[in-house]
Amino acid sequence: MRLALLPLALVLALPMFGCNKAPTTAPPATPDPAVDAPAPEGDPKPGLTASACEAQGGKVVGDIGDGAVHRPEYRCPDSGEAPIGSIVADPGGPVAIEGAVCCK
């Protein structure tokens, strides 16, 4: 008889162990200066919005997460030239998490 009640006791006890935490919210994202701000002073690449890049005949090339497009030795895949600028967010538009550059 006791063995027959054991599975029932386990089924009733499981909810007490699984869901006793209140959901948490993620902390607000901190701005990333490499993405959210214009290019730093002394940086040869000016800050451009994606639409300004395309208006100049450029193409937005995103970073894959290793920061390679922001290194001084980076060259654009199609032309082999250095990027003409770092992409900055359009006011009110989406923000690239990893950053991007404008290539011709």
Side-chain angles (χ1 to χ4, degrees), residues 51-90:
S51 57
C53 171
E54 291 168 357
Q56 294 181 21
K59 176 181 168 186
V60 176
V61 177
D63 188 63
I64 62 168
D66 63 358
V69 299
H70 301 293
R71 295 184 186 129
E73 68 274 8
Y74 178 77
R75 297 294 176 251
C76 296
D78 294 337
S79 67
E81 297 178 12
I84 62 172
S86 296
I87 300 297
V88 296
D90 284 314

Side-chain angles (χ1 to χ4, degrees), residues 4-103:
L5 293 178
L6 184 60
L8 179 61
L10 288 175
V11 170
L12 294 176
L14 285 178
M16 293 189 310
F17 296 110
C19 300
N20 60 355
K21 288 186 177 180
T24 58
T25 57
T30 55
D32 182 356
V35 176
D36 299 331
E41 288 184 38
D43 187 347
K45 296 180 281 191
L48 298 168
T49 62
S51 57
C53 171
E54 291 168 357
Q56 294 181 21
K59 176 181 168 186
V60 176
V61 177
D63 188 63
I64 62 168
D66 63 358
V69 299
H70 301 293
R71 295 184 186 129
E73 68 274 8
Y74 178 77
R75 297 294 176 251
C76 296
D78 294 337
S79 67
E81 297 178 12
I84 62 172
S86 296
I87 300 297
V88 296
D90 284 314
V95 176
I97 294 172
E98 302 298 341
V101 291
C102 181
C103 287

